Amino acid sequence: MLSANAVLFTALAYVALLFLVAFVSDLRSRKGWLALVRSPVVYTLSISVYCTSWTFYGAVGSAARNGLEFATIYLGPTLVFVGWWFLLRKLVRIGRIHRSSSIGDLISSRYGKSTSLAVLVTLIAVIGTTPYIALQLKAVTTSFQVIADATGTSLLGIPTRDLDIRTGFWVAVGMAVFTILFGTRNIDANEHHHGVVAAIAVEALVKLFALLAVGLYVVFWIAGGVPEVFALPTSAAVLQGSDTFGIRWVALTFLSATAIVCLPRQFQITVVENADENHLRTAGWLFPLYLFLTSLFTLPIAIVGLATLPAGSNPDMFVLTLPMQHDQSALALLVFIGGFSSATSMVIVASIALSIMVSNHIVMPIALRLPRRSAGVSGDVKALLLVSRRISIGVILLLGFAYFVASAKSDALASMGLIAFAGVAQFLPSLIGGLYWHQASKSGAFAGLLAGVLTWAYTLLLPSFEGGAIPATFFERGPWGIAALRPQALFGAEGVDPLVHSLFWSLGVNVVLFVAVSLCREQKPLERLQATLFIDVFRNPADNEARFIRRSAAIDDLYVLAQRILGAEQAHRLFRDFARKQGSRDDLPQPDTEFIAHLERQLAGGIGAASARVMVSQVITGETISLEELMKLVDETQQVIEYSQQLESKSQQLQTTARQLREANQRLKALDAQKDDFLSQVSHEVRTPMASIRSFSEILLSDADLSHEQSTRFIEIIHNETLRLTRLLDEILDLSHLERGELTWTLEPVDALAVLRRAVETCQGMADGAAATIAVNGETGPVEVLGHGDRLAQVFINLISNAIKHNTGPSPRLDIRSSVADRRLIVDVQDNGPGVAAADRDRIFAKFSRTWASDRPVTAGAGLGLAISRAILRRMNGTLDLLPDTGQGACFRVVLPLRQTTGTAVGPAAGEQL
Amino acid sequence: MRRQKARDAIVAVTVFGTLLLLPPILPFFDRSVTVGGVPLIVVYVFGVWLALIVAAWALSRRLPMDAPRRARLDDPPTDQIRGEGAD
């Protein structure tokens, strides 16, 4: 049978187990066996410190009151972790490179290592976290109370009415002892608490196991299956909240997404305790899965609890009271331990995170400003830090306890979780702005944070004390009766959910001031440097810092400083390692700027960036921040981005150009081949007449007995051949001039039809000789084109004579038709010969087309006629084409544009290509 | 190219996941229909949630690994981390 005492001893045994786990892990880690402690699974489990007792017990309560709304608390973090690649990865990288010891440290470091900013962040964190710790204490004591009440037993004989205070106190003491033992063991340059992380991971498993166990029990034993749960009448009541999915849903999702990043304890676990950046890869899906499993049974437990437990039972305790109702002592005990786990893990990590912040950002700056008591002794700063952290842990837990006592009788605590979320959400603008916006300045961050947090305190924190220290009229009528200043209806924004209302005003004021002040105020050089190092963290390793800050110091001073903060042993190791890296055999490195930067980062890991900077500044001389280098770096980064974009477009351009070049090359190759062809054909054409001239002249020379008649015939042949040669050469010259556009004839108005008639007349004799008839039809009137009369005649004569010469039909006939259409003159020369073979159609316009070479008469041209004609027409902006074969002989078509009557015709482009 | 795709995919998953889990899409599924005895809205929320987890799991192994960093951060800095992968 369950009794309060049994529960107490189980809890103590559980705490002993945690001590053991933490102790063994610490021992292992110091011996270097980190395999298990530094695994991604342990890392993920430790992140689940997010799930406190507020979610362990309270999620069911929330589900009982607002249905699915409880899920928002998990959906926000799920989205942040699924998108880990963008925010968390950068955060972790920066945290590791700059040795951020807390979220305050990271923000202050980003904004020029500002002490004041660190103090502000620390105060906000303390204000936001203390009530949260009180909430955990309340959860544990309430669970004790529930068991004590239900079992009718008393805890160590303490009367029930005192129970909560006393248990609360002892729970706080126990947690303080654990935290001090394992959380402040050392001032580690890494700030890794392996023992604590291992213990938190174990607690994560315990609370998940407890929730799953009670969930399975409730669903399958009590209700008898999943559909049965949702068939209960309370199911509809739970799920049909009037406006679950309204603005509050959005606000809560946003708030929980913010909290998983901004809560000091989450920062501690996710960033500071991160042992390997690639662990995020696993956490990116495993942590959402953890949250998923955690909330899987929340709804069923709430539904079944509402249906089976007596009316008026506290829904926040359904997880515990349901198994007790059914006398499942072991299960109830497990649930109690689970809730206890959630509370302790949150308190431990939160108080460690806060103590680091308090000691680094508040105690250290004060100590540094006090007049020096004596010359620094080795390890004195370290000792001061350790003591201040231990004291802060005690004080923080004491504060939490005090808050718990003060509000024990009110329900204020229940809403404390979301109030704390909204408080730390004020970090968001400065944090995100700091990671992605170069202009974000310290003044902007400070103004935004301060105004945001004041608004939050006024609109959300203050109302939580309603009825206590502050009279209710204050909220109803506003301070001094000014209605516009009512905390929950600022400037008349009435009827809004208080949380949404506060979130809107506080974050709104925060962002506006942050941006506006950042834009107005100039950044200091150090701020600008830190901004660049943070924002471009994936491009500029922090080692680059040495490029910008030049400073020098005596190595002895640095060594003393390091010893004071890190202790003799660590300082020695640090200096020796760096000396080795510099290639020195001595144990002391050269105190160059690179070393000083490295040392400052190491110290920052222990005491925070702002304090480290102050302390290092005390021993160095002649610090200059090279603005020029800094600007160069910014420019370089910009350039890299621009270059990569340019490169991309350039490479596309290059591809296009390469393709065009390839095509041009192919064309050139074809042209080259054509030229070779042309040359060889010219040689061939020249060779034939030359050969006959040579042979006949040889005969004439060698044979003196030739008759006059014979010699006259031979000379005639020679004469004819030279004529043919001359004509050939003339034509070649003509063509090349035409093609190069060098021919010096001008375009003038010409009556093309008159030219055509003249050409027909010229060819009439030839036609008669071949017994061919020529018929001219079509246009009769003058048709003016821009051209050259003789040249145009040459084209027509060439076409007509070709048609006569190549017409081998029995009754050769030519049809010449002219027409005007579309402001163009069209002349078709059609014969009834055999036509042009399909294979030759493309070639006949080429030079020396061999088509007609075989049976060419001596008087014929050299096969250049059509090529020349085409070139001539092109000069006149006209075309010459062979029309598609119709089976009735060949038909060539000349097309010439008519002369523009209003303006002058456009001449051909000079140097027109082939 | 494959890495770029994985990076784009994680953007898409995050953005669409966010949209699916917020109004105005979410209330669309808030109707009195049950799937296997479970109200539609519950199935929807947990279904999208699970889909997000699966997508994140599938993509986590495709995203580029970060360059191996110094084994321990308190080792002296080395030059080899200069100019490592941009984001």
Side-chain angles (χ1 to χ4, degrees):
Chain A
M1 185 62 205
L2 204 60
S3 78
N5 283 339
V7 170
L8 175 69
F9 289 118
T10 318
L12 287 178
Y14 176 70
V15 170
L17 175 76
L18 286 186
F19 269 84
L20 193 67
V21 169
F23 181 71
V24 170
S25 307
D26 250 6
L27 205 66
R28 284 173 66 103
S29 75
R30 244 173 303 153
K31 288 188 179 170
W33 300 337
L34 287 165
L36 184 66
V37 181
R38 287 167 61 125
S39 83
V41 176
V42 169
Y43 175 67
T44 310
L45 286 175
S46 65
I47 294 174
S48 74
V49 71
Y50 177 75
C51 305
T52 64
S53 63
W54 176 54
T55 49
F56 187 88
Y57 292 118
V60 170
S62 168
R65 283 182 286 263
N66 299 319
L68 262 177
E69 189 184 281
F70 79 94
T72 54
I73 300 302
Y74 305 100
L75 288 176
T78 297
L79 292 169
V80 171
F81 269 82
V82 166
W84 63 276
W85 182 261
F86 307 101
L87 180 59
L88 291 177
R89 180 166 151 266
K90 190 167 194 178
L91 211 55
V92 168
R93 171 67 65 87
I94 291 174
R96 287 165 60 88
I97 285 189
H98 293 271
R99 301 297 160 85
S100 301
S101 57
S102 66
I103 186 166
D105 196 16
L106 186 116
I107 291 180
S108 111
S109 179
R110 158 63 180 83
Y111 296 104
K113 308 190 180 180
S114 151
T115 305
S116 54
L117 206 51
V119 170
L120 181 61
V121 172
T122 305
L123 287 179
I124 297 174
V126 171
I127 295 172
T129 310
T130 314
Y132 211 157
I133 291 176
L135 182 62
Q136 309 303 315
L137 296 179
K138 183 177 169 87
V140 174
T141 53
T142 312
S143 57
F144 261 122
Q145 238 170 350
V146 165
I147 291 177
D149 287 348
T151 55
T153 56
S154 70
L155 187 67
L156 303 174
I158 304 168
T160 314
R161 68 189 154 76
D162 287 347
L163 190 62
D164 52 350
I165 305 292
R166 291 211 200 169
T167 39
F169 179 74
W170 287 111
V171 168
V173 168
M175 288 178 187
V177 168
F178 182 92
T179 314
I180 288 170
L181 270 183
F182 292 100
T184 61
R185 184 175 284 273
N186 209 344
I187 300 297
D188 195 352
N190 281 326
E191 248 358 289
H192 284 169
H193 304 90
H194 297 298
V196 174
V197 170
I200 301 302
V202 170
E203 301 210 271
L205 285 178
V206 169
K207 61 195 184 194
L208 181 64
F209 180 66
L211 269 184
L212 288 180
V214 76
L216 289 172
Y217 174 74
V218 166
V219 170
F220 294 102
W221 268 261
I222 300 183
V226 179
E228 283 78 359
V229 170
F230 290 100
L232 288 170
T234 45
S235 162
V238 163
L239 283 171
Q240 281 168 5
S242 53
D243 53 340
T244 311
F245 307 111
I247 184 79
R248 192 174 149 87
W249 177 280
V250 181
L252 284 178
T253 309
F254 169 76
L255 202 54
S256 62
T258 308
I260 197 74
V261 180
C262 293
L263 278 173
R265 67 170 192 276
Q266 292 308 133
F267 189 90
Q268 175 76 24
I269 286 291
T270 315
V271 178
V272 181
E273 303 283 357
N274 175 283
D276 182 342
E277 285 173 32
N278 282 313
H279 286 177
L280 266 182
R281 196 173 295 273
T282 306
W285 61 270
L286 191 56
F287 181 59
L289 183 64
Y290 185 95
L291 295 177
F292 179 85
L293 293 176
T294 298
S295 47
L296 197 54
F297 290 110
T298 305
L299 264 184
I301 295 174
I303 293 168
V304 174
L306 282 177
T308 58
L309 289 177
S313 332
N314 181 5
D316 282 335
M317 283 290 148
F318 278 177
V319 184
L320 188 57
T321 43
L322 264 175
M324 289 181 66
Q325 179 84 5
H326 292 80
D327 277 337
Q328 293 291 332
S329 306
L331 193 56
L333 196 60
L334 182 64
V335 167
F336 173 80
I337 294 296
F340 188 69
S341 276
S342 324
T344 49
S345 56
M346 181 271 162
V347 172
I348 289 165
V349 179
S351 54
I352 287 180
L354 283 185
S355 75
I356 290 174
M357 287 171 87
V358 170
S359 70
N360 285 359
H361 307 321
I362 294 181
V363 176
M364 267 313 287
I366 293 174
L368 286 175
R369 278 164 182 75
L370 288 179
R372 192 85 66 86
R373 289 159 300 173
S374 60
V377 194
S378 170
D380 67 337
V381 177
K382 181 176 175 172
L384 171 70
L385 275 180
L386 282 182
V387 170
S388 70
R389 280 186 196 174
R390 284 169 190 157
I391 294 176
S392 346
I393 289 175
V395 170
I396 288 162
L397 280 169
L398 197 66
L399 274 177
F401 177 69
Y403 194 98
F404 161 69
V405 173
S407 60
K409 304 290 178 236
S410 82
D411 286 336
L413 272 182
S415 54
M416 208 50 231
L418 284 177
I419 295 178
F421 275 21
V424 295
Q426 303 305 324
F427 297 152
L428 191 72
S430 310
L431 189 67
I432 300 295
L435 293 188
Y436 295 97
W437 186 35
H438 276 281
Q439 300 306 317
S441 78
K442 182 220 144 191
S443 332
F446 195 86
L449 265 176
L450 189 63
V453 103
L454 288 178
T455 316
W456 161 78
Y458 185 69
T459 52
L460 203 60
L461 189 62
L462 203 62
S464 73
F465 297 109
E466 183 172 357
I470 299 151
T473 50
F474 184 86
F475 299 98
E476 282 159 24
R477 297 193 199 138
W480 307 289
I482 305 170
L485 292 183
R486 276 172 297 166
Q488 291 181 320
L490 218 50
F491 304 114
E494 269 175 281
V496 190
D497 180 81
L499 183 71
V500 177
H501 171 265
S502 170
L503 210 55
F504 171 79
W505 283 114
S506 60
L507 275 182
V509 168
N510 190 336
V511 170
V512 167
L513 275 179
F514 172 58
V515 173
V517 176
S518 287
L519 288 177
C520 293
R521 294 287 288 270
E522 195 71 14
Q523 281 175 318
K524 291 197 190 96
L526 187 61
E527 274 182 75
R528 205 177 294 176
L529 169 65
Q530 290 296 97
T532 307
L533 291 179
F534 271 55
I535 293 169
D536 302 324
V537 66
F538 292 105
R539 296 190 194 91
N540 308 317
D543 311 349
N544 263 351
E545 198 178 327
R547 258 175 74 186
F548 316 108
I549 308 187
R550 304 207 188 293
R551 36 191 181 176
S552 52
I555 191 72
D556 291 338
D557 291 345
L558 290 176
Y559 194 56
V560 169
L561 181 67
Q563 277 190 326
R564 289 180 63 196
I565 298 173
L566 300 173
E569 197 192 326
Q570 259 200 52
H572 179 70
R573 197 157 7 112
L574 173 69
F575 276 59
R576 192 194 55 209
D577 289 350
F578 206 89
R580 294 281 174 280
K581 199 212 146 213
Q582 284 183 342
S584 158
R585 291 222 207 133
D586 207 8
D587 274 0
L588 290 180
Q590 285 298 314
D592 55 8
T593 47
E594 195 181 342
F595 176 67
I596 296 176
H598 176 64
L599 180 67
E600 189 184 321
R601 274 202 306 281
Q602 294 296 319
L603 300 184
I607 60 175
S611 302
R613 178 169 161 73
V614 173
M615 293 207 76
V616 170
S617 299
Q618 285 172 350
V619 299
I620 59 162
T621 49
E623 177 188 89
T624 51
I625 294 182
S626 166
L627 265 184
E628 215 173 290
E629 280 286 316
L630 187 55
M631 296 314 290
K632 235 197 270 174
L633 178 76
V634 175
D635 288 347
E636 275 169 23
T637 319
Q638 295 291 341
Q639 276 171 6
V640 166
I641 297 171
E642 275 169 29
Y643 280 161
S644 69
Q645 285 170 350
Q646 282 175 7
L647 257 178
E648 214 162 287
S649 72
K650 280 265 163 60
S651 79
Q652 280 179 352
Q653 284 175 10
L654 273 178
Q655 278 179 355
T656 319
T657 316
R659 203 181 54 240
Q660 287 171 346
L661 277 177
R662 260 199 309 279
E663 286 166 4
N665 191 32
Q666 273 170 0
R667 274 205 305 276
L668 277 178
K669 272 186 185 162
L671 282 179
D672 191 45
Q674 258 180 41
K675 191 197 75 189
D676 286 349
D677 269 7
F678 182 67
L679 273 179
S680 72
Q681 281 163 3
V682 168
S683 317
H684 184 82
E685 294 293 330
V686 173
R687 216 167 156 266
T688 325
M690 282 303 257
S692 61
I693 291 170
R694 209 178 103 204
S695 50
F696 283 112
S697 51
E698 268 169 9
I699 294 170
L700 282 172
L701 277 176
S702 60
D703 205 340
D705 304 338
L706 279 174
S707 66
H708 177 70
E709 208 172 290
Q710 265 181 320
S711 57
T712 310
R713 199 164 64 84
F714 288 171
I715 289 171
E716 203 172 300
I717 292 174
I718 291 174
H719 182 240
N720 276 339
E721 290 298 326
T722 48
L723 278 183
R724 191 166 135 189
L725 254 180
T726 315
R727 202 164 51 237
L728 171 69
L729 292 177
D730 279 348
E731 281 183 352
I732 291 173
L733 272 177
D734 202 17
L735 184 65
S736 84
H737 282 277
L738 268 172
E739 281 177 347
R740 278 191 272 156
E742 285 171 1
L743 226 53
T744 51
W745 37 270
T746 49
L747 298 178
E748 53 202 20
V750 172
D751 179 2
L753 289 183
V755 174
L756 179 62
R757 278 192 294 275
R758 208 169 73 216
V760 172
E761 278 164 24
T762 311
C763 296
Q764 197 60 55
M766 188 183 171
D768 293 346
T773 55
I774 302 179
V776 182
N777 303 308
E779 298 286 327
T780 50
V783 177
E784 280 210 327
V785 298
L786 271 182
H788 187 275
D790 291 349
R791 286 296 186 169
L792 194 53
Q794 184 186 345
V795 171
F796 288 135
I797 291 170
N798 181 259
L799 288 177
I800 295 168
S801 61
N802 273 350
I804 297 168
K805 272 183 283 184
H806 301 290
N807 195 336
T808 50
S811 56
R813 207 169 58 81
L814 251 82
D815 275 321
I816 300 175
R817 290 181 300 274
S818 57
S819 60
V820 174
D822 203 12
R823 300 209 50 75
R824 289 181 309 168
L825 167 70
I826 298 168
V827 178
D828 288 342
V829 179
Q830 164 94 54
D831 63 41
N832 62 347
V836 181
D840 297 326
R841 295 179 65 87
D842 292 337
R843 289 176 40 202
I844 54 169
F845 291 106
K847 284 155 251 175
F848 299 112
S849 49
R850 309 306 297 174
T851 326
W852 307 334
S854 51
D855 55 348
R856 199 172 61 228
V858 178
T859 49
L864 290 171
L866 283 174
I868 291 175
S869 299
R870 192 172 241 195
I872 290 172
L873 283 174
R874 198 178 289 149
R875 277 270 298 176
M876 299 179 188
N877 295 325
T879 55
L880 171 61
D881 291 298
L882 174 62
L883 291 188
D885 196 2
T886 54
Q888 296 166 348
C891 180
F892 286 89
R893 169 168 287 184
V894 173
V895 179
L896 276 169
L898 296 188
R899 189 170 84 99
Q900 304 283 326
T901 45
T902 49
T904 49
V906 183
E912 195 171 325
Q913 291 184 339
L914 262 170
Chain B
M1 218 44 164
R2 194 163 154 243
R3 292 171 165 194
Q4 184 62 49
K5 265 188 193 165
R7 249 178 275 175
D8 293 352
I10 201 83
V11 182
V13 165
T14 313
V15 170
F16 287 132
T18 309
L19 291 180
L20 287 178
L21 291 172
L22 292 180
I25 297 180
L26 193 57
F28 179 76
F29 294 89
D30 187 16
R31 44 189 68 191
S32 49
V33 179
T34 56
V35 181
V38 184
L40 178 65
I41 184 71
V42 177
V43 175
Y44 175 76
V45 168
F46 282 85
V48 171
W49 197 342
L50 202 60
L52 276 176
I53 293 167
V54 171
W57 170 76
L59 285 172
S60 71
R61 40 200 63 213
R62 298 217 166 82
L63 285 164
M65 292 293 273
D66 281 313
R69 297 192 56 79
R70 297 169 230 159
R72 280 177 67 86
L73 274 172
D74 48 3
D75 290 345
T78 49
D79 282 341
Q80 71 195 19
I81 64 163
R82 265 165 204 276
E84 70 183 22
D87 65 338

